[in-house]
Amino acid sequence: TQLTHTFKALSAEALHSNNASFLKLAETALGQFQTQATGDLAQRQQAIDSLVQPLQTSLTKVESHLQELEGKRTAAYAQLREQITALSTSQLQLQAETANLAKALRAPTVRGRWGEIQLKRVVEMAGMVEHCDFIQQATVKTDTGHLRPDMVVQLPFQRNIVVDAKAPLAAYLEALDVNDDGQRQAKLKDHARHIRTHIGQLGNKAYWDQFQPSPEFVVLFLPGEIFFSAALEQDPGLIEAGIQQRVILATPTTLIALLKAVAYGWQQAQVTENAQKISDLGRELYERVRTFTGHMGKLRRGLDSSVEHFNKAVGSLESRVLVSARKFKELGAASGDDIEILGHVDHVPRTLLAIDSHGDGHHAKDAP
């Protein structure tokens, strides 16, 4: 029993000692492990932060850029909307103005005035200035009444070209308003027929007999290319009909070409006139230079004669007069400075350089 109690006491003491040692060892190991785990966790946290930080920065920049793009998109959308609204308003205004223009062009007086304005613009673009090369609204009185073409283009050498502007647009404008193809075709045929009628009327006026001298034709000006092409499509014989009536159909493009040719003719005429003036001026200048050199020659001969007489006078003065006059001072009858010695004049005027027919210069005589 005593042994048992002793063994139990020893066992209990050993167990307590082992438990305390185990707990202390476990606490020490656990503390070390916890410290190591804490360091590893901090390192991993730092590594994760180093990986996540650039992503966060990039996402922040992307977000800022997206916000900026969204702001620009909103502003651009608002501006585009305003422009579309303005364009729509302008389109409506253009439609209204086009309708008003079409309505105005249906009046014959307005069409005629518009044709005259187009004609004036074409002449200005061609460089044919109004006060110089053409006359608007020239009127000629004939047995059948007054003839008033829209323009008379003046050619060199007192010649003329008569131009008459016509704007038969009624049928053409009606064709644009028609939706049916058959009716539109009929209106376009009427448009071609109206132009053929104008060709006949203009040919019967015979402007070339009233504005002399003038080529035996007159120019019928249509103020738009589309008007001529539409009529020619319906009536291909319009050009031949005009030639037979001595009427040349012209659109702005062809009339500009014609006026450019006339302007070139004026330039050549001016060059010819200037050449004649230059020739006359050269002849006059030559005569004046010849007269002037004649006067210079007479002046040189006079200077030569004056120098010769001066030298003779100096020689006579020295040899005849001053020799005796100087003796007065030697004899004591005079005082003061000596009488100045007069020398001969050795310089002569320079001879003018003569030019021969080959352009080579030579002197008529040697000059010192």
Side-chain angles (χ1 to χ4, degrees), residues 149-188:
D150 293 298
M151 187 175 69
V152 177
V153 181
Q154 298 177 356
L155 300 177
F157 310 109
Q158 304 299 322
R159 298 182 182 274
N160 307 290
I161 292 180
V162 179
V163 180
D164 201 357
K166 297 297 180 183
L169 305 180
Y172 182 80
L173 294 176
E174 291 176 357
L176 296 180
D177 295 335
V178 174
N179 295 325
D180 184 69
D181 293 338
Q183 295 180 359
R184 183 183 299 107
Q185 198 74 9
K187 293 295 183 182
L188 291 177

mmCIF file of all heavy atoms in Angstrom, residues 149-188:
data_model
loop_
_atom_site.group_PDB
_atom_site.id
_atom_site.type_symbol
_atom_site.label_atom_id
_atom_site.label_comp_id
_atom_site.label_asym_id
_atom_site.label_seq_id
_atom_site.Cartn_x
_atom_site.Cartn_y
_atom_site.Cartn_z
ATOM 1 N N PRO A 149 -31.500 93.777 -128.502
ATOM 2 C CA PRO A 149 -30.858 92.543 -128.023
ATOM 3 C C PRO A 149 -30.397 92.725 -126.575
ATOM 4 O O PRO A 149 -30.263 93.853 -126.080
ATOM 5 C CB PRO A 149 -29.672 92.368 -128.964
ATOM 6 C CG PRO A 149 -29.349 93.759 -129.408
ATOM 7 C CD PRO A 149 -30.663 94.492 -129.468
ATOM 8 N N ASP A 150 -30.161 91.616 -125.913
ATOM 9 C CA ASP A 150 -29.704 91.702 -124.527
ATOM 10 C C ASP A 150 -28.252 92.135 -124.417
ATOM 11 O O ASP A 150 -27.862 92.730 -123.416
ATOM 12 C CB ASP A 150 -29.889 90.336 -123.838
ATOM 13 C CG ASP A 150 -31.358 90.000 -123.680
ATOM 14 O OD1 ASP A 150 -32.052 90.753 -122.992
ATOM 15 O OD2 ASP A 150 -31.798 88.991 -124.258
ATOM 16 N N MET A 151 -27.469 91.881 -125.456
ATOM 17 C CA MET A 151 -26.065 92.276 -125.393
ATOM 18 C C MET A 151 -25.466 92.276 -126.785
ATOM 19 O O MET A 151 -25.837 91.453 -127.628
ATOM 20 C CB MET A 151 -25.276 91.321 -124.488
ATOM 21 C CG MET A 151 -23.853 91.754 -124.234
ATOM 22 S SD MET A 151 -23.037 90.669 -123.043
ATOM 23 C CE MET A 151 -22.912 89.171 -124.013
ATOM 24 N N VAL A 152 -24.592 93.248 -127.022
ATOM 25 C CA VAL A 152 -23.825 93.311 -128.259
ATOM 26 C C VAL A 152 -22.356 93.279 -127.867
ATOM 27 O O VAL A 152 -21.853 94.202 -127.222
ATOM 28 C CB VAL A 152 -24.130 94.588 -129.062
ATOM 29 C CG1 VAL A 152 -23.251 94.643 -130.312
ATOM 30 C CG2 VAL A 152 -25.599 94.626 -129.440
ATOM 31 N N VAL A 153 -21.688 92.213 -128.211
ATOM 32 C CA VAL A 153 -20.273 92.061 -127.888
ATOM 33 C C VAL A 153 -19.465 92.719 -128.988
ATOM 34 O O VAL A 153 -19.643 92.409 -130.172
ATOM 35 C CB VAL A 153 -19.891 90.570 -127.762
ATOM 36 C CG1 VAL A 153 -18.420 90.433 -127.413
ATOM 37 C CG2 VAL A 153 -20.757 89.890 -126.726
ATOM 38 N N GLN A 154 -18.598 93.624 -128.607
ATOM 39 C CA GLN A 154 -17.757 94.327 -129.573
ATOM 40 C C GLN A 154 -16.508 93.505 -129.860
ATOM 41 O O GLN A 154 -15.777 93.120 -128.953
ATOM 42 C CB GLN A 154 -17.369 95.699 -129.027
ATOM 43 C CG GLN A 154 -18.550 96.621 -128.781
ATOM 44 C CD GLN A 154 -18.119 97.940 -128.169
ATOM 45 O OE1 GLN A 154 -16.940 98.128 -127.872
ATOM 46 N NE2 GLN A 154 -19.058 98.850 -127.990
ATOM 47 N N LEU A 155 -16.283 93.257 -131.146
ATOM 48 C CA LEU A 155 -15.090 92.553 -131.605
ATOM 49 C C LEU A 155 -14.051 93.564 -132.062
ATOM 50 O O LEU A 155 -14.380 94.732 -132.319
ATOM 51 C CB LEU A 155 -15.440 91.603 -132.751
ATOM 52 C CG LEU A 155 -16.466 90.504 -132.452
ATOM 53 C CD1 LEU A 155 -16.747 89.723 -133.721
ATOM 54 C CD2 LEU A 155 -15.973 89.595 -131.366
ATOM 55 N N PRO A 156 -12.805 93.159 -132.172
ATOM 56 C CA PRO A 156 -11.805 94.065 -132.750
ATOM 57 C C PRO A 156 -12.177 94.458 -134.173
ATOM 58 O O PRO A 156 -12.931 93.763 -134.866
ATOM 59 C CB PRO A 156 -10.516 93.235 -132.703
ATOM 60 C CG PRO A 156 -10.749 92.228 -131.625
ATOM 61 C CD PRO A 156 -12.216 91.906 -131.676
ATOM 62 N N PHE A 157 -11.652 95.619 -134.607
ATOM 63 C CA PHE A 157 -11.885 96.142 -135.952
ATOM 64 C C PHE A 157 -13.360 96.466 -136.173
ATOM 65 O O PHE A 157 -13.920 96.247 -137.255
ATOM 66 C CB PHE A 157 -11.377 95.171 -137.025
ATOM 67 C CG PHE A 157 -9.972 94.714 -136.798
ATOM 68 C CD1 PHE A 157 -9.717 93.403 -136.406
ATOM 69 C CD2 PHE A 157 -8.898 95.591 -136.935
ATOM 70 C CE1 PHE A 157 -8.417 92.965 -136.173
ATOM 71 C CE2 PHE A 157 -7.598 95.152 -136.708
ATOM 72 C CZ PHE A 157 -7.354 93.852 -136.334
ATOM 73 N N GLN A 158 -14.024 96.972 -135.099
ATOM 74 C CA GLN A 158 -15.383 97.508 -135.192
ATOM 75 C C GLN A 158 -16.418 96.470 -135.625
ATOM 76 O O GLN A 158 -17.382 96.789 -136.317
ATOM 77 C CB GLN A 158 -15.410 98.700 -136.172
ATOM 78 C CG GLN A 158 -14.449 99.810 -135.831
ATOM 79 C CD GLN A 158 -14.736 100.442 -134.479
ATOM 80 O OE1 GLN A 158 -15.888 100.608 -134.106
ATOM 81 N NE2 GLN A 158 -13.675 100.765 -133.755
ATOM 82 N N ARG A 159 -16.265 95.220 -135.201
ATOM 83 C CA ARG A 159 -17.249 94.197 -135.502
ATOM 84 C C ARG A 159 -18.042 93.862 -134.243
ATOM 85 O O ARG A 159 -17.639 94.196 -133.130
ATOM 86 C CB ARG A 159 -16.578 92.943 -136.076
ATOM 87 C CG ARG A 159 -15.864 93.194 -137.393
ATOM 88 C CD ARG A 159 -15.253 91.934 -137.963
ATOM 89 N NE ARG A 159 -14.541 92.198 -139.192
ATOM 90 C CZ ARG A 159 -15.110 92.230 -140.402
ATOM 91 N NH1 ARG A 159 -16.412 91.994 -140.513
ATOM 92 N NH2 ARG A 159 -14.407 92.482 -141.467
ATOM 93 N N ASN A 160 -19.188 93.180 -134.428
ATOM 94 C CA ASN A 160 -20.099 92.931 -133.314
ATOM 95 C C ASN A 160 -20.641 91.505 -133.368
ATOM 96 O O ASN A 160 -20.742 90.906 -134.448
ATOM 97 C CB ASN A 160 -21.294 93.910 -133.352
ATOM 98 C CG ASN A 160 -20.860 95.354 -133.431
ATOM 99 O OD1 ASN A 160 -20.328 95.904 -132.479
ATOM 100 N ND2 ASN A 160 -21.080 95.978 -134.590
ATOM 101 N N ILE A 161 -21.006 91.015 -132.193
ATOM 102 C CA ILE A 161 -21.754 89.761 -132.066
ATOM 103 C C ILE A 161 -22.968 90.045 -131.192
ATOM 104 O O ILE A 161 -22.842 90.559 -130.083
ATOM 105 C CB ILE A 161 -20.906 88.645 -131.433
ATOM 106 C CG1 ILE A 161 -19.784 88.213 -132.372
ATOM 107 C CG2 ILE A 161 -21.784 87.437 -131.112
ATOM 108 C CD1 ILE A 161 -18.912 87.105 -131.807
ATOM 109 N N VAL A 162 -24.148 89.722 -131.697
ATOM 110 C CA VAL A 162 -25.392 89.986 -130.984
ATOM 111 C C VAL A 162 -25.748 88.760 -130.146
ATOM 112 O O VAL A 162 -25.711 87.627 -130.633
ATOM 113 C CB VAL A 162 -26.530 90.315 -131.969
ATOM 114 C CG1 VAL A 162 -27.831 90.570 -131.211
ATOM 115 C CG2 VAL A 162 -26.157 91.536 -132.805
ATOM 116 N N VAL A 163 -26.102 88.992 -128.890
ATOM 117 C CA VAL A 163 -26.486 87.922 -127.964
ATOM 118 C C VAL A 163 -27.859 88.255 -127.403
ATOM 119 O O VAL A 163 -28.104 89.372 -126.945
ATOM 120 C CB VAL A 163 -25.467 87.777 -126.812
ATOM 121 C CG1 VAL A 163 -25.890 86.660 -125.868
ATOM 122 C CG2 VAL A 163 -24.073 87.504 -127.353
ATOM 123 N N ASP A 164 -28.751 87.279 -127.454
ATOM 124 C CA ASP A 164 -30.098 87.439 -126.906
ATOM 125 C C ASP A 164 -30.329 86.330 -125.879
ATOM 126 O O ASP A 164 -30.125 85.150 -126.177
ATOM 127 C CB ASP A 164 -31.145 87.352 -128.016
ATOM 128 C CG ASP A 164 -32.461 88.013 -127.603
ATOM 129 O OD1 ASP A 164 -32.530 88.475 -126.436
ATOM 130 O OD2 ASP A 164 -33.399 88.057 -128.414
ATOM 131 N N ALA A 165 -30.722 86.711 -124.660
ATOM 132 C CA ALA A 165 -30.919 85.742 -123.572
ATOM 133 C C ALA A 165 -32.392 85.362 -123.490
ATOM 134 O O ALA A 165 -33.266 86.222 -123.479
ATOM 135 C CB ALA A 165 -30.456 86.330 -122.242
ATOM 136 N N LYS A 166 -32.641 84.061 -123.419
ATOM 137 C CA LYS A 166 -33.996 83.537 -123.271
ATOM 138 C C LYS A 166 -34.005 82.524 -122.135
ATOM 139 O O LYS A 166 -33.062 81.764 -121.963
ATOM 140 C CB LYS A 166 -34.473 82.872 -124.564
ATOM 141 C CG LYS A 166 -34.576 83.810 -125.765
ATOM 142 C CD LYS A 166 -35.597 84.907 -125.528
ATOM 143 C CE LYS A 166 -35.694 85.834 -126.751
ATOM 144 N NZ LYS A 166 -36.648 86.956 -126.514
ATOM 145 N N ALA A 167 -35.115 82.537 -121.377
ATOM 146 C CA ALA A 167 -35.263 81.583 -120.267
ATOM 147 C C ALA A 167 -36.651 80.959 -120.321
ATOM 148 O O ALA A 167 -37.515 81.238 -119.481
ATOM 149 C CB ALA A 167 -35.032 82.279 -118.933
ATOM 150 N N PRO A 168 -36.916 80.084 -121.309
ATOM 151 C CA PRO A 168 -38.224 79.414 -121.395
ATOM 152 C C PRO A 168 -38.326 78.284 -120.377
ATOM 153 O O PRO A 168 -38.060 77.126 -120.681
ATOM 154 C CB PRO A 168 -38.250 78.899 -122.836
ATOM 155 C CG PRO A 168 -36.809 78.680 -123.171
ATOM 156 C CD PRO A 168 -36.029 79.700 -122.412
ATOM 157 N N LEU A 169 -38.721 78.611 -119.151
ATOM 158 C CA LEU A 169 -38.681 77.637 -118.069
ATOM 159 C C LEU A 169 -40.055 77.153 -117.624
ATOM 160 O O LEU A 169 -40.136 76.289 -116.751
ATOM 161 C CB LEU A 169 -37.968 78.248 -116.848
ATOM 162 C CG LEU A 169 -36.569 78.812 -117.087
ATOM 163 C CD1 LEU A 169 -36.006 79.365 -115.789
ATOM 164 C CD2 LEU A 169 -35.671 77.740 -117.643
ATOM 165 N N ALA A 170 -41.120 77.711 -118.169
ATOM 166 C CA ALA A 170 -42.462 77.372 -117.668
ATOM 167 C C ALA A 170 -42.731 75.874 -117.794
ATOM 168 O O ALA A 170 -43.098 75.202 -116.814
ATOM 169 C CB ALA A 170 -43.517 78.182 -118.408
ATOM 170 N N ALA A 171 -42.544 75.336 -118.985
ATOM 171 C CA ALA A 171 -42.821 73.918 -119.198
ATOM 172 C C ALA A 171 -41.846 73.047 -118.419
ATOM 173 O O ALA A 171 -42.219 71.995 -117.882
ATOM 174 C CB ALA A 171 -42.759 73.593 -120.688
ATOM 175 N N TYR A 172 -40.606 73.480 -118.313
ATOM 176 C CA TYR A 172 -39.611 72.691 -117.573
ATOM 177 C C TYR A 172 -39.962 72.629 -116.097
ATOM 178 O O TYR A 172 -39.870 71.558 -115.460
ATOM 179 C CB TYR A 172 -38.232 73.306 -117.780
ATOM 180 C CG TYR A 172 -37.127 72.538 -117.098
ATOM 181 C CD1 TYR A 172 -36.595 71.386 -117.654
ATOM 182 C CD2 TYR A 172 -36.639 72.967 -115.858
ATOM 183 C CE1 TYR A 172 -35.585 70.676 -117.016
ATOM 184 C CE2 TYR A 172 -35.630 72.265 -115.221
ATOM 185 C CZ TYR A 172 -35.115 71.123 -115.801
ATOM 186 O OH TYR A 172 -34.127 70.423 -115.154
ATOM 187 N N LEU A 173 -40.369 73.753 -115.512
ATOM 188 C CA LEU A 173 -40.753 73.761 -114.094
ATOM 189 C C LEU A 173 -42.010 72.938 -113.855
ATOM 190 O O LEU A 173 -42.134 72.247 -112.829
ATOM 191 C CB LEU A 173 -40.970 75.204 -113.627
ATOM 192 C CG LEU A 173 -39.726 76.098 -113.614
ATOM 193 C CD1 LEU A 173 -40.093 77.519 -113.226
ATOM 194 C CD2 LEU A 173 -38.674 75.540 -112.658
ATOM 195 N N GLU A 174 -42.933 72.974 -114.789
ATOM 196 C CA GLU A 174 -44.129 72.139 -114.655
ATOM 197 C C GLU A 174 -43.773 70.653 -114.731
ATOM 198 O O GLU A 174 -44.379 69.832 -114.023
ATOM 199 C CB GLU A 174 -45.127 72.501 -115.757
ATOM 200 C CG GLU A 174 -45.734 73.896 -115.589
ATOM 201 C CD GLU A 174 -46.640 74.264 -116.752
ATOM 202 O OE1 GLU A 174 -46.743 73.440 -117.702
ATOM 203 O OE2 GLU A 174 -47.226 75.357 -116.726
ATOM 204 N N ALA A 175 -42.767 70.323 -115.544
ATOM 205 C CA ALA A 175 -42.342 68.923 -115.634
ATOM 206 C C ALA A 175 -41.740 68.438 -114.324
ATOM 207 O O ALA A 175 -41.883 67.267 -113.954
ATOM 208 C CB ALA A 175 -41.338 68.758 -116.780
ATOM 209 N N LEU A 176 -41.088 69.323 -113.610
ATOM 210 C CA LEU A 176 -40.513 68.933 -112.320
ATOM 211 C C LEU A 176 -41.581 68.670 -111.273
ATOM 212 O O LEU A 176 -41.368 67.876 -110.342
ATOM 213 C CB LEU A 176 -39.559 70.032 -111.824
ATOM 214 C CG LEU A 176 -38.313 70.291 -112.684
ATOM 215 C CD1 LEU A 176 -37.486 71.405 -112.065
ATOM 216 C CD2 LEU A 176 -37.480 69.026 -112.831
ATOM 217 N N ASP A 177 -42.736 69.326 -111.389
ATOM 218 C CA ASP A 177 -43.800 69.157 -110.401
ATOM 219 C C ASP A 177 -44.697 67.952 -110.687
ATOM 220 O O ASP A 177 -45.505 67.565 -109.842
ATOM 221 C CB ASP A 177 -44.663 70.421 -110.347
ATOM 222 C CG ASP A 177 -43.866 71.622 -109.846
ATOM 223 O OD1 ASP A 177 -42.879 71.409 -109.124
ATOM 224 O OD2 ASP A 177 -44.231 72.767 -110.185
ATOM 225 N N VAL A 178 -44.576 67.372 -111.883
ATOM 226 C CA VAL A 178 -45.448 66.264 -112.272
ATOM 227 C C VAL A 178 -44.835 64.944 -111.814
ATOM 228 O O VAL A 178 -43.626 64.725 -111.969
ATOM 229 C CB VAL A 178 -45.669 66.268 -113.798
ATOM 230 C CG1 VAL A 178 -46.454 65.035 -114.225
ATOM 231 C CG2 VAL A 178 -46.411 67.528 -114.212
ATOM 232 N N ASN A 179 -45.675 64.077 -111.243
ATOM 233 C CA ASN A 179 -45.202 62.766 -110.782
ATOM 234 C C ASN A 179 -45.357 61.682 -111.845
ATOM 235 O O ASN A 179 -44.650 60.679 -111.813
ATOM 236 C CB ASN A 179 -45.958 62.340 -109.517
ATOM 237 C CG ASN A 179 -45.649 63.266 -108.348
ATOM 238 O OD1 ASN A 179 -44.531 63.766 -108.218
ATOM 239 N ND2 ASN A 179 -46.651 63.514 -107.494
ATOM 240 N N ASP A 180 -46.275 61.853 -112.755
ATOM 241 C CA ASP A 180 -46.519 60.862 -113.792
ATOM 242 C C ASP A 180 -45.448 60.987 -114.884
ATOM 243 O O ASP A 180 -45.164 62.102 -115.379
ATOM 244 C CB ASP A 180 -47.915 61.066 -114.399
ATOM 245 C CG ASP A 180 -48.232 59.995 -115.418
ATOM 246 O OD1 ASP A 180 -48.421 58.826 -115.030
ATOM 247 O OD2 ASP A 180 -48.271 60.330 -116.618
ATOM 248 N N ASP A 181 -44.866 59.870 -115.291
ATOM 249 C CA ASP A 181 -43.801 59.900 -116.282
ATOM 250 C C ASP A 181 -44.301 60.366 -117.641
ATOM 251 O O ASP A 181 -43.601 61.111 -118.350
ATOM 252 C CB ASP A 181 -43.167 58.514 -116.420
ATOM 253 C CG ASP A 181 -42.414 58.104 -115.164
ATOM 254 O OD1 ASP A 181 -42.024 59.011 -114.390
ATOM 255 O OD2 ASP A 181 -42.216 56.886 -114.953
ATOM 256 N N GLY A 182 -45.487 59.972 -118.012
ATOM 257 C CA GLY A 182 -46.018 60.380 -119.301
ATOM 258 C C GLY A 182 -46.253 61.881 -119.366
ATOM 259 O O GLY A 182 -45.900 62.535 -120.361
ATOM 260 N N GLN A 183 -46.839 62.429 -118.315
ATOM 261 C CA GLN A 183 -47.059 63.878 -118.285
ATOM 262 C C GLN A 183 -45.735 64.642 -118.242
ATOM 263 O O GLN A 183 -45.597 65.695 -118.875
ATOM 264 C CB GLN A 183 -47.920 64.246 -117.081
ATOM 265 C CG GLN A 183 -49.340 63.691 -117.144
ATOM 266 C CD GLN A 183 -50.159 64.077 -115.921
ATOM 267 O OE1 GLN A 183 -49.669 64.741 -115.009
ATOM 268 N NE2 GLN A 183 -51.429 63.659 -115.907
ATOM 269 N N ARG A 184 -44.757 64.102 -117.494
ATOM 270 C CA ARG A 184 -43.448 64.764 -117.436
ATOM 271 C C ARG A 184 -42.799 64.783 -118.817
ATOM 272 O O ARG A 184 -42.221 65.788 -119.237
ATOM 273 C CB ARG A 184 -42.544 64.039 -116.449
ATOM 274 C CG ARG A 184 -41.178 64.732 -116.293
ATOM 275 C CD ARG A 184 -40.238 63.979 -115.374
ATOM 276 N NE ARG A 184 -40.778 63.875 -114.031
ATOM 277 C CZ ARG A 184 -41.264 62.756 -113.497
ATOM 278 N NH1 ARG A 184 -41.252 61.633 -114.222
ATOM 279 N NH2 ARG A 184 -41.735 62.730 -112.276
ATOM 280 N N GLN A 185 -42.927 63.675 -119.551
ATOM 281 C CA GLN A 185 -42.359 63.618 -120.898
ATOM 282 C C GLN A 185 -43.034 64.631 -121.816
ATOM 283 O O GLN A 185 -42.378 65.298 -122.625
ATOM 284 C CB GLN A 185 -42.525 62.197 -121.459
ATOM 285 C CG GLN A 185 -41.636 61.882 -122.641
ATOM 286 C CD GLN A 185 -40.189 61.664 -122.230
ATOM 287 O OE1 GLN A 185 -39.884 61.593 -121.052
ATOM 288 N NE2 GLN A 185 -39.296 61.602 -123.211
ATOM 289 N N ALA A 186 -44.338 64.771 -121.663
ATOM 290 C CA ALA A 186 -45.068 65.737 -122.496
ATOM 291 C C ALA A 186 -44.631 67.167 -122.180
ATOM 292 O O ALA A 186 -44.458 67.996 -123.086
ATOM 293 C CB ALA A 186 -46.574 65.573 -122.274
ATOM 294 N N LYS A 187 -44.436 67.483 -120.901
ATOM 295 C CA LYS A 187 -43.998 68.828 -120.515
ATOM 296 C C LYS A 187 -42.588 69.116 -121.043
ATOM 297 O O LYS A 187 -42.308 70.242 -121.487
ATOM 298 C CB LYS A 187 -44.027 68.971 -119.000
ATOM 299 C CG LYS A 187 -45.426 68.918 -118.395
ATOM 300 C CD LYS A 187 -46.261 70.093 -118.843
ATOM 301 C CE LYS A 187 -47.634 70.080 -118.190
ATOM 302 N NZ LYS A 187 -48.479 71.224 -118.670
ATOM 303 N N LEU A 188 -41.713 68.123 -121.007
ATOM 304 C CA LEU A 188 -40.367 68.315 -121.527
ATOM 305 C C LEU A 188 -40.374 68.525 -123.035
ATOM 306 O O LEU A 188 -39.578 69.311 -123.563
ATOM 307 C CB LEU A 188 -39.480 67.121 -121.161
ATOM 308 C CG LEU A 188 -39.144 66.965 -119.677
ATOM 309 C CD1 LEU A 188 -38.330 65.697 -119.436
ATOM 310 C CD2 LEU A 188 -38.372 68.185 -119.162
#
